Structures are given as C-alpha cells and as structure tokens.
Amino acid sequence: MSNDNSTGNGSRIASLAVNIGIGAAKGGVYGAAAGAVKSLLPEIIKVVVIAAVILLLIPTIIFTALPNILFGYNSSIVDDVKKLTDMAHSIDAAYRQVQDFCLAEIDRIVAETKASYTDEDGEAGYDDVEVNTEMDNTNMYWFIAITSVAHQQDLFSMSEESIKDMVIRKIVSSSSLLSSIVGEGDDQTTVRTLRIDIEDLDPDKLMDKLGFDDDERNWAQLLYSTLADEQISEVDYRDGGGGSYINYGDITFTDASTPVVYYNQFDERWANLPYGRTGIISRSACGPSALAIVVSSLTSNQVTPPEVANWAAANGYYSEGSGSYRTLITEGGAHYGLTVEGIGHDAEKLVEALSSGKLVIAIMGPGHFTKRGHFIVLRGITSDGKVLVADSGSYTRSNQQWDLRLILNEAGRSTHAGGPFWVISP
C-alpha cells in the first residue's frame, strides 16, 4: 500500500472520528457512550475514544455492515478492514448457531447424567427420565453483549469454539432420583424417576460466574441497550396517554393506493394477552402487530396480533423482556407467504416502494413514536411527499401525515437483518 493511499485513508478515518464525536455529544445512546468514556477513560483523547466506542457499540452480529458503510468494502484496499469483515462473518455465523449449541449441550448433560446413574454393568438406577428445561433467561442480546465484554470487544480473540464455550458456561443443571409408588395392593410397584433440571443463567448470574467487575457490568448493560432495540410501549405514547383499553373495532385505511387493515396493540380484545413468558401484547408486541397489519392487508389471511405473537414466541422470535428480534419481520413475512426485502437506510428505495403501493415495516428509534424502539407500518406516500403510517401504538398517529425526513432521522440506526426498513410485497 503506498504512502499516498495510507494518508488518504487516515484522513478519511480521522474525519469520520470527528463527525462521530460531534454526533455523540448530542445525546441519546451516543451521548451515553460519550459519558461512559468520559468517566472511565478520561486520560485518552476524547474524539478518538468516542469514535471507537460508537463503532464498538454497533451489534457484533452486524459488524459485516461496517466496512460497506465506512470504507466501501467491496473495493476496499485496507487490509485490516478486510480482516475485520472476514472475522465478523465468522462470528456472525457462530452466533446464528447458538440455539444449536444449546441443544447440543442439553443433550450432552442428559447423556452424562444418565450415565452417572448407571452402574458398571450397564444397569440403570432409574426407570424413567424427566428432563425440565428453562432457557432464554439470558436472551440473545444479553448473550452477545456479555460475550463481547468477556472478550474485550476484540473480534480476533473470538471464535466458534469460544462462543460454544460461553454457551456451556451459561447453562447449569441439577439432578435427583425420585421414587413414587404406583398401583394398588399386590400390583404396587416403586418407580424411580431420574429428574434432570437444566437452565441458563440470567445475565446477573452469568456475569457473576464470569467475574465481571462494575465497569464490565456497565459496559455489558450499555451494549445490551444498544443491541436490543427494546420495544416497550410507553403509556404516554398511546392514544389518550393512559386510562382503560377500548375496542377499536374493524378499521381499514383507504387513503392510499393499498388498503391497510389496522390493528392496535392496546385494543381491549387482546391488550393483556401474553407475548412469550413475560410480555403482553400491549407492552411489547408492536412487531407482531405490525406484521399482522401487513399480512392482513396483503393476503387473504386475516391474522391478529395475538396470533402472530403466539407464532413468534413459539418459533424463537421473541426476546424475553425486550420485544421482537428483527428477524421476525424477514422470517415471519416469509412464513406468511410474503416477499420481504431489507433496504437498510436507502431513502430512494423507500420512496420508490411506497410510491408503488408496497408496504414497509420500519423500526423507529427515540422520537415521535417511541422512547426506545417501536415497529410501525409505512403504508403510503402523498403527492407532496408526506408519509402515511399504521402505528399499532396509536390510531391518532396513524391518521397523521409525517415528514419523510423525520421518518428517516428517527428510524433505528442498526442495519441488522436488513433494517430499519423492510419492503413487503405479496
């Protein structure tokens, strides 16, 4: 690499650092990162550190987007960027196998436990086996955050084996032999049941096990908050700002080229129905509600928010305590027979899709729609460029016209799973 090229790349990165530093000072998650840097590492040049922290806060699972966004990966001549991208692909692939790693570890624990209750002659000391599992106490976002901190955010110290090892460390088990009498009189017999209880540690217990200090815990919490896009619907963002739930009845918007069936997650018909083990529709099911709106509008399948929520939770698309994984949109759309295209932050594709009558699911960040994260449906665009929405959190907002620039500015920043905008078509 010539000195000229090195200088040019160095200038671009330095300029990027300055711009990120300025953005960090404006607040939000970036402001929080800046504050963390200020308190924990005051001796380091602030602009450089802020730039590094902001980059590191981008979810590990979407590190593959960094080279494209920052350096133009396909034509990049920066060897370190290529190495980072290759490593990111490898770690991304490993994270996608975490569920398989968990199942393999459960199988191993069951096999080893059964063997420990079997004598040298192969005679089992039990008649039956009962396996109880309680998983997802540490959801995927927490797992990524804790794993990243455990490796000091160094991609090159991570591997498929290190992620497998973290899966093993988060799973604990216990066993007991229970005796019960079945039958009556001469037919009575004693049945020995080997009970095996398996669970994954919650984030606090996992960090305890790993020996995290306060700084590492705070680091993991900051990473988790950035990764999660938490979709917790706030009372002050719903119609009326509180009070009792109402029945919204049957509503279809017809003021755009594609009629859109509307559902509100605070509808009294399902507001308090469960989403996963710990959530309810009104509080954290904006993702299933948005998908239900799109499916009901583009197909003959009139599914409701609780129906989609049940499917999402049963198939692993609900993150306990946070809301829906973004893959609910891509995989859920495909499940219901729709074509889903993630377009990232491409404003031109967004306008083109809305102008052609396609629907778009967007995940919004803090602003007019939410304080945290919130899935909504973009259902059209007016002749003067205003965006029409179907917001399951508010019928009032769904009847307003929104400035395109506001939608683009308040959309989530992460491009994980193709977001923050997904174009949906039949």
Side-chain angles (χ1 to χ4, degrees):
M1 185 182 297
S2 71
N3 289 334
D4 289 342
N5 282 336
S6 298
T7 302
N9 286 319
S11 298
R12 288 170 61 202
I13 296 171
S15 175
L16 174 65
V18 172
N19 290 334
I20 292 176
I22 293 171
K26 293 182 179 179
V29 172
Y30 301 97
V37 171
K38 183 177 179 181
S39 62
L40 296 176
L41 300 171
E43 70 278 13
I44 302 179
I45 301 173
K46 292 177 184 177
V47 169
V48 176
V49 177
I50 290 171
V53 170
I54 297 305
L55 293 179
L56 292 175
L57 284 175
I58 296 175
T60 300
I61 207 165
I62 62 149
F63 263 129
T64 53
L66 273 176
N68 264 337
I69 295 170
L70 304 182
F71 302 101
Y73 166 66
N74 290 333
S75 60
S76 175
I77 57 174
V78 183
D79 289 341
D80 286 346
V81 174
K82 292 179 179 178
K83 291 177 182 177
L84 174 65
T85 302
D86 290 342
M87 194 61 202
H89 276 296
S90 174
I91 299 305
D92 180 21
Y95 275 130
R96 292 176 188 274
Q97 297 180 71
V98 164
Q99 185 63 27
D100 292 336
F101 297 158
C102 286
L103 294 175
E105 178 61 9
I106 290 171
D107 288 343
R108 185 192 68 79
I109 290 171
V110 171
E112 287 192 357
T113 304
K114 290 166 67 176
S116 70
Y117 283 84
T118 302
D119 64 25
E120 295 180 354
D121 296 325
E123 183 71 25
Y126 54 86
D127 303 301
D128 196 8
V129 178
E130 175 186 323
V131 178
N132 301 302
T133 60
E134 183 179 341
M135 305 300 290
D136 206 29
N137 292 309
T138 292
N139 66 40
M140 191 62 182
Y141 295 132
W142 266 116
F143 182 76
I144 292 174
I146 292 172
T147 303
S148 296
V149 173
H151 290 83
Q152 299 295 301
Q153 283 290 143
D154 180 5
L155 275 178
F156 293 97
S157 71
M158 300 173 68
S159 65
E160 180 177 307
E161 288 304 314
S162 69
I163 291 173
K164 282 183 181 179
D165 179 67
M166 187 62 73
V167 168
I168 293 171
R169 300 183 75 175
K170 83 183 181 88
I171 296 177
V172 296
S173 66
S174 62
S175 62
S176 57
L177 194 60
L178 307 175
S179 295
S180 59
I181 297 176
V182 298
E184 296 180 357
D186 294 338
D187 294 328
Q188 278 190 354
T189 183
T190 299
V191 175
R192 301 163 300 171
T193 301
L194 174 59
R195 174 171 171 167
I196 306 172
D197 295 309
I198 303 172
E199 65 176 340
D200 65 333
L201 298 172
D202 65 30
D204 285 333
K205 290 179 181 177
L206 179 57
M207 288 188 283
D208 284 343
K209 186 174 184 178
L210 296 172
F212 276 20
D213 60 24
D214 288 343
D215 286 347
E216 288 169 322
R217 288 174 180 273
N218 291 335
W219 187 0
Q221 177 65 61
L222 189 59
L223 281 168
Y224 168 77
S225 298
T226 304
L227 286 162
D229 283 331
E230 285 185 295
Q231 304 124 43
I232 306 300
S233 297
E234 305 88 358
V235 171
D236 52 341
Y237 273 81
R238 58 175 284 200
D239 295 332
S244 60
Y245 299 132
I246 65 172
N247 187 322
Y248 283 82
D250 298 324
I251 298 173
T252 300
F253 293 112
T254 58
D255 53 344
S257 57
T258 299
V260 169
V261 174
Y262 177 72
Y263 296 121
N264 192 294
Q265 65 194 90
F266 294 98
D267 194 303
E268 66 179 6
R269 291 172 290 180
W270 46 67
N272 287 317
L273 293 180
Y275 184 22
R277 295 198 316 269
T278 60
I280 57 175
I281 301 295
S282 60
R283 182 166 171 78
S284 54
C286 58
S289 298
L291 190 55
I293 288 172
V294 168
V295 173
S296 296
S297 300
L298 297 180
T299 76
S300 60
N301 189 3
Q302 301 301 291
V303 294
T304 62
E307 290 177 282
V308 178
N310 289 338
W311 180 86
N315 289 277
Y317 297 106
Y318 177 59
S319 171
E320 294 290 344
S322 297
S324 307
Y325 291 115
R326 289 181 172 214
T327 48
L328 169 63
I329 307 306
T330 53
E331 304 301 322
H335 169 74
Y336 287 105
L338 296 171
T339 298
V340 182
E341 178 191 4
I343 60 171
H345 293 93
D346 194 321
E348 184 175 343
K349 285 187 176 180
L350 175 61
V351 172
E352 180 184 343
L354 294 174
S355 299
S356 64
K358 295 179 180 178
L359 302 183
V360 175
I361 291 181
I363 185 166
M364 306 302 294
H368 289 73
F369 297 90
T370 180
K371 289 180 182 177
R372 306 186 190 187
H374 184 52
F375 287 101
I376 65 173
V377 177
L378 310 183
R379 58 184 181 83
I381 192 166
T382 66
S383 58
D384 58 350
K386 300 293 185 181
V387 178
L388 305 175
V389 310
D391 178 357
S392 67
S394 170
Y395 181 63
T396 300
R397 288 195 296 272
S398 300
N399 279 287
Q400 295 176 246
Q401 297 181 0
W402 297 89
D403 189 86
L404 176 62
R405 184 179 302 175
L406 181 146
I407 297 293
L408 292 169
N409 286 343
E410 293 188 5
R413 306 307 341 143
S414 168
T415 57
H416 171 47
F421 299 108
W422 294 268
V423 176
I424 319 288
S425 53

